[in-house]
């Protein structure tokens, strides 16, 4: 099965107004409604043709209020088909006088079930009978990468809330969780070979740097469980091990790898051990060991994100390190930037040797890594050049610019807690992304997709993290899925209303854009703004 975008667009145009009202986020690529009603009742039954996760699909339908027993004469049929490369998420959902038929490959079937569950949630229910209008939906995403990055280091989320987040991502057909597991305040992933990473490095968070703070991290067993849970729901988890900067937590545990601190201004060290020593062979071996354990824990990710951001804030001490001095002489490296590039290349070799692709923040786009083998995360919204140069050079890019996709930024002009940078990240801007960039067709070809990032320096509580996330993440889901011609903020807003009620019914904290809800702030609000905030 392969869906042509041209056909989908043509079908979409033909669908007119009613299609806008299907209660589904993200809005499907093509919807064709017709006259007629199909009534399902508990005895209608469900049948599975081909191998698939029957329990998961049954559960997805039940979540929408459609409780069906397995039966050979079922009215609802899932049929597994092989899709062409690049179309694994596509599905067709047909509701007609004959019943319901959902066709797709593994992920497509799950997405078809999710869409049917949304229709069921909104459909008239009477005496156990659920009525659906006849419709044919042909759906698949605009972008392959529809992601969310969660910073677990500055504040730790933990398994229970993380699983709930993954379930919600799946509801909106988001498919990548970029797991920022390490940073200066805390190291959150168990590494068997280096137990002090978690014994020492996982204690503390952004605002609690006591050496005896509780240890907070994911065990390898938990990680395997979370990865499998996400995978079943179409969410691939991509781990980030940030290096050579943002390294304090690891260096606190193993000080022999220290490369020097983050000099915030000349007398103040923000983080005393911000970098790994980029030139010490033992440090490279240590990082190599960590990366191979990480690769084993995330076998399907195929990508390891190596960070690479903001390293220059920790360059200050590099020229004094004996290993850096001799490396520079031996390799004829002129400056710190060249040392950083050398380090990135060595790490990329290790990642590639494990069979993984390297991903990194947009700094790595200019550090000499192989263009066809590197996934770049464009975050510096004020440096559009970086995005365009990377795309023009043929590099794959995930677009996650601070504005409008950093959820630690304010979402309402009335709020005071959170970042601003010449502006904020309100829901309509999130939804509209990336149309204002006006990328050329040639550039679009290299866009892997879109991603929101939640940095947690100012999001210490789960309530606040949810408040910053929802409903903006639902807007990212539609921006990443729905073809440009089918996006419509008015329609999205209408479909959002019942979703806000749903999220609340599940105890998820949301910002209500219709009521412009007041800010939910951390226990000690306001004072501590991020170190890189631009003065306004
Ligand atoms: C910059 S974005 C960082 C993070 C901070 C974030 C705060 C990026 C690649 N690095 O370390 O948490 O700003 O918004």
């Amino acid at each position: 099965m392969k869906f042509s975008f041209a056909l989908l667009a043509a079908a979409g145009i033909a669908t007119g107004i009613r299609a806008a009202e299907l209660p589904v986020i993200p809005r499907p690529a093509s919807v064709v409604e017709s006259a007629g009603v199909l009534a399902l009742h508990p005895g209608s039954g469900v049948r599975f043709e081909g191998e698939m996760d029957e329990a998961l699909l049954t559960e997805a339908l039940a979540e929408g209020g459609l409780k069906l027993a397995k039966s050979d004469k079922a009215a609802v049929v899932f049929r597994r088909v092989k899709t062409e490369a690049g179309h694994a998420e596509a599905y067709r959902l047909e509701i007609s006088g004959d019943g319901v038929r959902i066709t797709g490959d593994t992920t497509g079937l799950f997405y078809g079930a999710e869409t049917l569950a949304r229709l069921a949630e909104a459909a008239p229910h009477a005496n156990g009978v659920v009525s659906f209008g006849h419709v044919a939906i042909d759906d698949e995403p605009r972008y392959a990468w529809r992601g969310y990055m969660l910073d677990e280091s500055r504040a730790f989320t933990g398994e229970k809330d993380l699983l709930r987040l993954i379930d919600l991502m799946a509801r909106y057909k988001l498919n990548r969780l970029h797991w920022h597991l390490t940073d200066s305040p805390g190291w959150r992933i168990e590494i068997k070979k280096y137990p002090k990473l978690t014994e020492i490095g996982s204690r503390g968070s952004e605002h609690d740097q006591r050496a005896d703070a509780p240890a907070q991290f994911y065990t390898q067993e938990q990680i395997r469980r979370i990865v499998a849970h996400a995978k079943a729901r179409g969410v691939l988890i991509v781990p980030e091990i940030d290096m050579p900067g943002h390294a304090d937590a690891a260096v606190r545990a193993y000080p022999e790898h220290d490369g020097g601190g983050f000099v915030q201004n000349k007398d103040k060290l923000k983080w005393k051990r911000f970098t790994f020593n980029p030139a010490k062979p033992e440090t490279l071996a240590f990082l190599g060991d960590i990366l191979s354990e990480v690769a084993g824990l995330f076998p399907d990710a195929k990508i390891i994100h190596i960070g690479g951001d903001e390293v220059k804030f920790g360059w200050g001490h590099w020229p004094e390190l004996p290993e850096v001095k001799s490396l520079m002489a031996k390799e004829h490296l002129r400056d710190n930037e060249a040392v950083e590039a050398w380090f990135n290349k060595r790490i990329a070799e290790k990642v590639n040797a494990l069979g993984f692709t390297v991903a990194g923040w947009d700094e790595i786009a200019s550090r000499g890594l192989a263009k066809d083998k590197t996934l770049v995360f464009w975050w510096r919204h004020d440096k559009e050049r970086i995005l365009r140069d990377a795309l023009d050079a043929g590099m794959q890019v995930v677009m996650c610019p601070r504005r409008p996709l950093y959820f630690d930024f304010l979402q309402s002009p009335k709020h005071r807690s959170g970042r601003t940078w010449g502006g904020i990240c309100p829901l309509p801007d999130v939804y509209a992304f990336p149309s204002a960039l006006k990328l050329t067709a040639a550039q679009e070809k290299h866009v892997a997709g879109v991603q929101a990032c939640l940095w947690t320096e100012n999001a210490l509580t789960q309530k606040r993290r949810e408040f910053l996330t929802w409903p903006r993440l639902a807007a990212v889901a539609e921006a990443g899925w729905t073809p440009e011609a089918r996006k419509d903020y008015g329609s999205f807003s209408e479909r959002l209303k019942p979703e806000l009620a749903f999220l609340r019914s599940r105890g998820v904290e949301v910002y209500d854009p219709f009521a412009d809800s007041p800010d939910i702030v951390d226990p000690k609000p306001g004072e501590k703004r991020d170190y890189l905030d631009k003065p306004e």
Side-chain angles (χ1 to χ4, degrees):
M1 182 168 64
K2 175 177 170 22
F3 298 114
S4 131
F5 268 113
L7 281 178
L8 289 177
I13 288 160
T15 57
I17 294 298
R18 278 187 69 202
E21 288 150 14
L22 280 194
V24 184
I25 293 176
R27 197 182 198 194
S30 159
V31 175
V32 180
E33 292 178 280
S34 52
V37 170
L38 174 76
L40 295 180
H41 54 84
S44 295
V46 57
R47 193 172 77 227
F48 305 96
E49 293 180 359
E51 206 181 308
M52 61 194 83
D53 189 339
E54 299 180 4
L56 180 80
L57 298 172
T58 307
E59 186 194 305
L61 295 185
E63 169 81 18
L66 212 52
K67 298 197 169 73
L68 301 172
K70 205 169 155 180
S71 139
D72 281 346
K73 291 199 269 350
V76 177
V77 179
F78 285 91
R79 178 186 285 168
R80 168 119 182 247
V81 294
K82 271 256 145 295
T83 51
E84 281 180 32
H87 299 272
E89 297 180 307
Y91 69 92
R92 179 170 171 83
L93 165 61
E94 253 181 296
I95 303 180
S96 70
D98 300 333
V100 180
R101 178 181 298 278
I102 298 175
T103 325
D105 209 336
T106 306
T107 310
L109 290 173
F110 176 68
Y111 285 162
E114 286 293 323
T115 297
L116 180 59
R118 297 298 82 73
L119 299 182
E121 267 165 13
H125 289 239
N127 304 325
V129 176
V130 192
S131 308
F132 298 87
H134 289 180
V135 67
I137 299 175
D138 279 298
D139 205 6
E140 75 170 328
R142 174 179 183 182
Y143 293 123
W145 187 292
R146 305 174 306 281
Y148 180 65
M149 188 222 74
L150 180 62
D151 172 4
E152 292 266 20
S153 178
R154 277 61 177 264
F156 184 65
T157 289
E159 184 174 1
K160 182 172 132 283
D161 288 321
L162 188 68
L163 290 175
R164 189 160 80 147
L165 168 73
I166 291 166
D167 291 348
L168 292 175
M169 287 177 66
R171 178 181 178 94
Y172 301 109
K173 303 185 176 81
L174 290 154
N175 68 352
R176 295 288 184 277
L177 176 64
H178 169 176
W179 210 5
H180 188 76
L181 285 161
T182 73
D183 210 302
S184 296
W187 181 279
R188 308 297 182 201
I189 171 173
E190 179 188 22
I191 300 293
K192 301 267 190 210
K193 186 156 187 187
Y194 300 110
K196 285 192 278 180
L197 284 171
T198 43
E199 277 163 22
I200 295 173
S202 81
R203 295 181 190 277
S205 55
E206 179 74 10
H207 303 285
D208 176 6
Q209 279 141 38
R210 292 170 301 151
D212 62 349
Q216 290 186 300
F217 63 95
Y218 294 95
T219 64
Q220 294 204 349
E221 196 190 329
Q222 280 180 305
I223 289 173
R224 288 205 181 83
R225 198 155 61 219
I226 293 165
V227 165
H229 181 95
K231 183 183 176 188
R233 288 155 184 79
V235 179
L236 194 69
I237 304 188
V238 174
E240 178 182 349
I241 307 295
D242 206 346
M243 61 184 81
H246 294 270
D248 288 72
V251 178
R252 211 156 66 223
Y254 293 94
E256 60 271 36
H257 301 305
D258 192 4
F262 179 138
V263 186
Q264 187 171 32
N265 58 48
K266 61 177 180 347
D267 343 283
K268 197 171 160 224
L269 278 179
K270 159 93 180 169
W271 292 103
K272 291 192 193 63
R273 314 173 188 96
F274 186 71
T275 57
F276 290 114
N277 184 326
K280 194 169 171 177
E282 293 81 356
T283 303
L284 288 162
F286 167 76
L287 293 171
D289 292 341
I290 291 172
L291 290 169
S292 55
E293 277 196 41
V294 170
L297 288 169
F298 298 90
D300 300 312
K302 298 278 178 275
I303 294 169
I304 296 179
H305 196 299
I306 59 161
D309 55 317
E310 302 182 321
V311 187
K312 64 172 183 217
F313 296 120
W315 278 350
H317 300 274
W318 282 11
E320 300 148 25
L321 300 172
E323 297 84 0
V324 171
K325 277 189 193 158
S326 57
L327 179 78
M328 289 178 90
K330 184 166 153 244
E331 301 285 335
H332 310 291
L333 304 176
R334 263 186 319 165
D335 51 19
N336 288 327
E337 184 173 328
V339 174
E340 186 184 319
W342 180 90
F343 170 88
N344 282 353
K345 276 185 218 148
R346 300 293 82 73
I347 295 296
E349 283 162 10
K350 291 181 193 293
V351 171
N352 294 153
L354 292 164
F356 282 59
T357 296
V358 170
W361 298 107
D362 63 31
E363 286 88 335
I364 66 160
S366 54
R367 296 288 184 274
L369 294 182
K371 305 246 177 268
D372 55 340
K373 279 208 226 138
T374 311
L375 181 63
V376 173
F377 284 63
W378 175 57
W379 65 281
R380 289 178 285 179
H381 70 278
D382 54 332
K383 295 188 165 63
E384 244 182 71
R385 196 67 268 148
I386 297 178
L387 168 69
R388 291 186 201 280
D389 286 351
L391 293 172
D392 292 342
M395 296 178 107
Q396 288 283 309
V397 179
V398 172
M399 303 190 294
C400 50
R402 274 175 300 219
R403 279 184 48 212
L405 296 184
Y406 270 23
F407 288 179
D408 53 336
F409 276 58
L410 298 185
Q411 54 193 326
S412 158
K414 284 207 195 125
H415 296 170
R416 286 290 162 268
S417 177
R419 302 188 66 197
T420 60
W421 190 314
I424 64 173
C425 299
L427 187 65
D429 292 11
V430 176
Y431 185 82
F433 187 78
S435 64
L437 287 171
K438 302 216 176 342
L439 298 175
T440 65
Q443 290 170 333
E444 276 277 347
K445 274 217 322 242
H446 300 293
V447 172
V450 296
Q451 175 172 291
C453 298
L454 182 65
W455 299 101
T456 52
E457 292 97 333
N458 294 301
L460 304 183
T461 61
Q462 181 62 15
K463 256 180 178 305
R464 178 158 163 79
R465 288 191 287 274
E466 289 172 359
F467 180 78
L468 293 173
T469 301
W470 303 106
R472 285 188 289 188
L473 193 53
V476 172
E478 187 148 317
W481 181 284
T482 305
E484 188 70 45
R486 296 263 300 150
K487 277 173 70 180
D488 178 324
Y489 188 69
S491 154
F492 173 74
S493 301
E494 282 310 307
R495 285 174 286 125
L496 190 57
K497 288 175 186 163
E499 288 303 321
L500 292 177
F502 163 80
L503 290 164
R504 283 180 165 144
S505 76
R506 293 303 161 99
V508 177
E509 196 65 54
V510 297
Y511 165 73
D512 182 342
F514 306 102
D516 193 9
S517 340
D519 209 356
I520 291 194
V521 298
D522 277 335
K524 283 190 222 139
E527 336 76 347
K528 191 165 190 311
R529 310 262 309 215
D530 188 78
Y531 54 87
L532 290 175
D533 269 353
K534 272 245 169 114
E536 284 197 271

